[in-house]
Amino acid sequence: MTNRFLNLYNHDFARVAVGVPQCRVADPAFNAQQTIALAREADAQGAVLVAFPELGIPAYSCEDLFQQRALLDACDAALAEIVAASRELGAALIVGMPVRVQQRLFNCAVVVARGRIHGVVPKTYLPNYSEFYEARQFNAADDAGVDSVTLLGHDVPFGALIFEAADQPLLRFHCEICEDVWVPVPPSSFAALAGATVLVNLSASNVVVGKSAYRHQLVGQQSARCLAAYLYTSAGQGESTTDLAWDGQALIYENGDMLAESARFASESHLIYADVDLERLARERMHQTTFGVSVRRHADEVARFRTIKVDVTMPRDAELPLARAIGRFPYVPADPRLRDERCHEVYNIQVQALMQRLASSKIQKVVIGVSGGLDSTHALLVCAKVMDRLGLPRTNILAYTMPGFATSERTLRQARELMEAVGCTAREIDIRPSCMQMLKDLDHPFANGQEVYDVTFENVQAGERTNHLFRLANHLGAIVIGTGDLSELALGWCTYGVGDHMSHYNVNASVPKTLIIHLVRWVAETGQLSQAAGQTAPAKGGKEGKEAAGRRNVLIDILETEISPELVPGKANGAPEQRTEHFIGPYELQDFNLYYTLRFGYAPRKVAFLSWSAWHDASTGRWPDEGQRAHNAYDMVAIKRNLRIFLDRFFRTSQFKRSCVPNAPKVGTGGSLSPRGDWRAPSDSESVVWLADLDTVPDDPHA
């Protein structure tokens, strides 16, 4: 087996396809040729599995013609043509046709690959209502009473089957037919429990008003419940319109996410493709332990399935990059509507959580340090909304900006303007005298006039700020609100016990830096900061008052400020000496690495493959911030360098900080590093296995 890096099959993806061929009613030879043409096209594109419509060989709308021997014999002959054509293809084909079994007729899915029939799956549920009366011509699967059938002169497995690709055990697919997925407990539910990762539905499915949307709901929910990919195909151009119409809708979903959809009412044969992440599905099942409980509870149904090996050829040697779009910002939707929904939901989760903490502790005041940077800005915005919702004055927010040795004029000005815009109680404490006393007590060189800016120098300032905040909270009857975010926790970019690491309650702890950027922008654009209790924001695009515009501009200025801890004095021109991303890498890359490492547990090799797919070309794909920030691209050398930083800091050097973090609300799936929640890890682990895996990634992905 080759280990070619830029090949989706070598990273546990599989390219699947759904075909909707143009058909002629009761003309199996024509229909077979249309099917073969689409199968060849899909194979040429690297697909390993291709599904076609229900009864697609004769056409679904044959009705009583299914009882005619001439048509049934012609179906067998057409199947023989498809089987012969499959010898030259690497993909498995799933075609629909009537199959005779002991003087009875069954509506079946036939799996063909490499010149032979691997198995036949009969339809379980026959609709016999409304416009469909299949029980007039066909028998249900449970009436078969056999586990094999003779087809084209060969005995082949028949019944409840799961098909497994010979060289990819994660590709295990199951076939059901149309009505089977419309029932309360579809056969595919049990097939998923039996190990099927790809569920295939051969459907005809006429179209009426509203049915397309319902198909989306049905297929999406079934893929999500079963933690599986779901391929759905339906009949299109050429089916009889005696009393029905057909739209040829094809869908591919993965764990509730739509990957592909065909055009409806197309006049020609058509295909859709998707690259399914088989590892994602397997890991979701591993993580969701109730999936295993369901296997045990339905053991009898699960035991009915037999596994059939299928000879398919995955094109592992060729360069075959992902056709699937990988979002650059997994925590931030690129679609503006979805992004606004995400921001609204996250913001309100944070607000509700802090409201509950204040209510349960019977405390009405909060203390917060405001630096003029992103994280403290967003935490302050959350506090403002909490006070509005509780009917308390915003002056109950006791905000302190505490300039130190390296505080820039820009961030100090922004902190002052922000506190004024929020309407909180604003105070300013110069921590330099107390820090200098501490440095003198330590006999630090800086106290003697030397420009020594070491870790001690930095942490004295971070510790002094935190010490003030906690003592102020004691003195004023408040709790300290934390500002550190998920990205900083992942990278250990916080001072243990003080600074962003410690507080009474941290509203940002499961919000990554890339999302905080958009949350602050969303608050600015929607006028949340202007909304005191009982007020409403101006309509988007509507006029805003001078004060509202000023508040918005304060937030925009903060968004445009370079991220820095501002603990080391800068140069004469006022530029910050410390640029956070110079030390720990670009947050946009590190949040990407965090998501796929934490959420799915992918090995570094796969994370690098996904990162290259998302980031190597800035001109492709959608960005969530068009025109607002620089659009960067990264080559594999940069991706590896920053992934190495992430892996070593995440797995080796930072867990002891995460093992004792304050309470904080979780805002997203797999988005918490709390030792009480999503991430429980030893503080003394090594990073060697992850770094060794990263070493297998070539600097040139095309090599």
Side-chain angles (χ1 to χ4, degrees):
M1 181 185 300
T2 184
N3 202 30
R4 179 136 195 177
F5 181 80
L6 203 59
N7 182 295
L8 63 95
Y9 287 101
N10 293 327
H11 300 279
D12 292 323
F13 284 89
R15 181 162 296 170
V16 297
V18 176
V20 182
Q22 186 178 18
C23 71
R24 293 178 182 171
V25 178
D27 190 349
F30 174 85
N31 298 338
Q33 291 308 308
Q34 295 291 307
T35 297
I36 291 168
L38 288 183
R40 286 173 174 158
E41 181 181 340
D43 185 74
Q45 295 298 318
V48 74
L49 179 65
V50 194
F52 295 94
E54 176 183 16
L55 294 171
I57 291 181
Y60 178 82
S61 51
C62 286
E63 298 188 283
D64 283 351
L65 300 184
F66 287 125
Q67 301 289 347
Q68 294 288 314
R69 177 176 176 176
L71 181 62
L72 297 176
D73 288 347
C75 287
D76 289 349
L79 177 63
E81 291 295 319
I82 294 171
V83 171
S86 74
R87 294 191 185 98
E88 303 171 357
L89 306 178
L93 315 179
I94 309 173
V95 298
M97 64 174 285
V99 175
R100 290 168 280 191
V101 181
Q102 295 181 344
Q103 298 84 52
R104 285 167 293 167
L105 198 61
F106 292 84
N107 179 348
C108 295
V110 181
V111 176
V112 175
R114 299 308 252 169
R116 68 187 184 95
I117 300 169
H118 288 264
V120 178
V121 179
K123 189 171 185 176
T124 301
Y125 295 96
L126 302 179
N128 219 44
Y129 59 89
S130 187
E131 63 266 28
F132 299 110
Y133 295 94
E134 288 184 27
R136 177 182 174 93
Q137 294 99 19
F138 297 103
N139 289 262
D142 290 344
D143 297 331
V146 298
D147 59 10
S148 66
V149 62
T150 301
L151 198 55
L152 302 186
H154 299 279
D155 285 340
V156 296
F158 181 89
L161 306 174
I162 291 175
F163 301 89
E164 181 180 305
D167 70 340
Q168 173 50 285
L170 293 179
L171 178 55
R172 306 184 82 234
F173 61 92
H174 168 264
C175 310
E176 61 186 6
I177 303 175
C178 200
E179 185 78 8
D180 290 347
V181 77
W182 299 71
V183 302
V185 186
S188 57
S189 297
F190 300 120
L193 296 178
T197 52
V198 178
L199 311 175
V200 183
N201 188 302
L202 275 58
S203 183
S205 192
N206 71 302
V207 61
V208 293
V209 173
K211 195 170 187 179
S212 171
Y214 188 70
R215 289 188 196 123
H216 276 285
Q217 294 175 356
L218 199 65
V219 172
Q221 283 298 311
Q222 186 64 357
S223 74
R225 282 193 302 269
C226 294
L227 301 176
Y230 201 102
L231 282 59
Y232 185 93
T233 182
S234 52
Q237 179 67 28
E239 288 283 0
S240 174
T241 55
T242 300
D243 287 304
L244 302 174
W246 316 86
D247 65 347
Q249 184 177 31
L251 302 168
I252 302 176
Y253 273 79
E254 177 188 291
N255 195 20
D257 298 328
M258 190 182 77
L259 301 184
E261 178 183 16
S262 71
R264 299 169 61 208
F265 305 105
S267 58
E268 303 293 336
S269 300
H270 55 278
L271 279 166
I272 60 170
Y273 302 90
D275 295 340
V276 172
D277 191 344
L278 300 173
E279 183 183 7
R280 175 195 180 192
L281 301 172
R283 289 193 172 277
E284 292 283 17
R285 293 177 179 185
M286 186 188 306
H287 178 76
Q288 187 172 306
T289 54
T290 50
F291 190 89
V293 174
S294 297
V295 174
R296 185 180 71 246
R297 287 182 61 86
H298 300 286
D300 290 342
E301 287 287 347
V302 170
R304 295 176 58 242
F305 289 92
R306 290 176 288 158
T307 298
I308 308 298
K309 294 282 188 179
V310 179
D311 299 323
V312 294
T313 302
M314 297 183 177
R316 295 180 181 271
D317 295 331
E319 185 169 296
L320 193 63
L322 278 178
R324 169 177 177 151
I326 302 296
R328 296 176 177 88
F329 298 89
Y331 295 104
V332 184
D335 179 85
R337 180 183 61 82
L338 295 178
R339 187 176 65 250
D340 284 353
E341 289 179 3
R342 177 75 54 86
C343 289
H344 176 270
E345 190 165 25
V346 169
Y347 184 58
N348 280 280
I349 289 172
Q350 294 176 277
V351 168
Q352 188 277 335
L354 181 55
M355 286 175 61
Q356 176 60 32
R357 179 50 54 95
L358 292 177
S360 63
S361 63
K362 295 181 171 55
I363 292 175
Q364 296 187 339
K365 294 181 179 180
V366 297
V367 165
I368 184 171
V370 179
S371 68
L374 271 173
D375 293 342
S376 63
T377 293
H378 183 59
L380 181 58
L381 298 176
V382 170
C383 292
K385 184 61 68 176
V386 167
M387 294 304 167
D388 295 346
R389 295 263 180 90
L390 290 174
L392 297 172
R394 289 186 181 178
T395 51
N396 280 21
I397 305 170
L398 312 175
Y400 294 83
T401 187
M402 292 175 278
F405 297 115
T407 302
S408 67
E409 284 298 323
R410 173 171 183 156
T411 56
L412 183 57
R413 171 180 54 80
Q414 289 173 172
R416 292 166 176 166
E417 291 175 350
L418 176 65
M419 292 187 292
E420 182 180 357
V422 168
C424 59
T425 299
R427 296 287 186 268
E428 190 167 315
I429 298 175
D430 187 343
I431 63 168
R432 287 173 292 184
S434 56
C435 287
M436 184 60 79
Q437 182 60 52
M438 173 69 76
L439 291 167
K440 288 179 180 178
D441 293 342
L442 296 173
D443 195 22
H444 190 277
F446 182 81
N448 298 318
Q450 300 180 45
E451 294 185 356
V452 176
Y453 307 129
D454 56 10
V455 172
T456 301
F457 176 81
E458 295 183 36
N459 287 349
V460 162
Q461 296 171 81
E464 196 60 39
R465 288 185 174 115
T466 303
N467 184 42
H468 272 81
L469 292 176
F470 272 96
R471 301 298 72 81
L472 286 163
N474 295 154
H475 182 57
L476 300 170
I479 63 171
V480 177
I481 302 304
T483 61
D485 62 44
L486 180 68
S487 308
E488 293 175 343
L489 278 176
L491 292 158
W493 193 248
C494 53
T495 305
Y496 184 80
V498 295
D500 290 344
H501 181 253
M502 195 49 60
S503 63
H504 288 122
Y505 196 74
N506 186 358
V507 294
N508 286 345
S510 70
V511 187
K513 186 77 75 178
T514 49
L515 181 54
I516 283 182
I517 291 170
H518 290 278
L519 283 164
V520 172
R521 189 176 297 278
W522 175 81
V523 169
E525 292 177 347
T526 58
Q528 298 292 322
L529 186 54
S530 302
Q531 296 177 57
Q535 294 182 335
T536 58
K540 208 167 187 180
K543 292 183 178 179
E544 59 181 349
K546 184 176 180 180
E547 288 187 7
R551 295 186 186 102
R552 179 175 58 80
N553 291 336
V554 169
L555 297 181
I556 298 302
D557 285 345
I558 292 170
L559 285 169
E560 294 173 351
T561 303
E562 187 166 15
I563 299 170
S564 170
E566 293 195 330
L567 295 172
V568 174
K571 298 180 175 64
N573 61 7
E577 178 69 19
Q578 293 172 297
R579 294 174 173 83
T580 297
E581 292 176 303
H582 286 188
F583 289 92
I584 58 174
Y587 275 115
E588 57 190 11
L589 270 189
Q590 302 300 28
D591 279 1
F592 187 96
N593 295 332
L594 171 63
Y595 179 80
Y596 286 103
T597 301
L598 177 64
R599 178 68 179 83
F600 299 113
Y602 289 157
R605 184 177 177 86
K606 183 164 184 174
V607 175
F609 174 70
L610 294 172
S611 187
W612 185 88
S613 301
W615 286 100
H616 78 281
D617 185 353
S619 67
T620 63
R622 301 182 66 183
W623 292 78
D625 51 2
E626 290 292 344
Q628 296 168 354
R629 295 174 68 88
H631 291 175
N632 299 313
Y634 299 96
D635 61 17
M636 186 56 76
V637 172
I639 287 169
K640 287 176 60 180
R641 180 177 64 251
N642 289 290
L643 182 52
R644 183 174 297 277
I645 293 171
F646 173 83
L647 294 171
D648 194 48
R649 295 186 71 99
F650 184 81
F651 287 106
R652 185 178 65 85
T653 67
S654 304
Q655 181 57 36
F656 76 99
K657 297 179 181 180
R658 297 189 289 263
S659 294
C660 53
V661 294
N663 291 173
K666 176 181 174 181
V667 304
T669 304
S672 169
L673 287 171
S674 168
R676 300 169 294 275
D678 286 350
W679 186 250
R680 306 181 186 195
S683 295
D684 304 306
S685 65
E686 297 292 339
S687 57
V688 289
V689 295
W690 290 271
L691 296 179
D693 188 82
L694 180 62
D695 286 339
T696 68
V697 177
D699 288 346
D700 179 2
H702 301 284

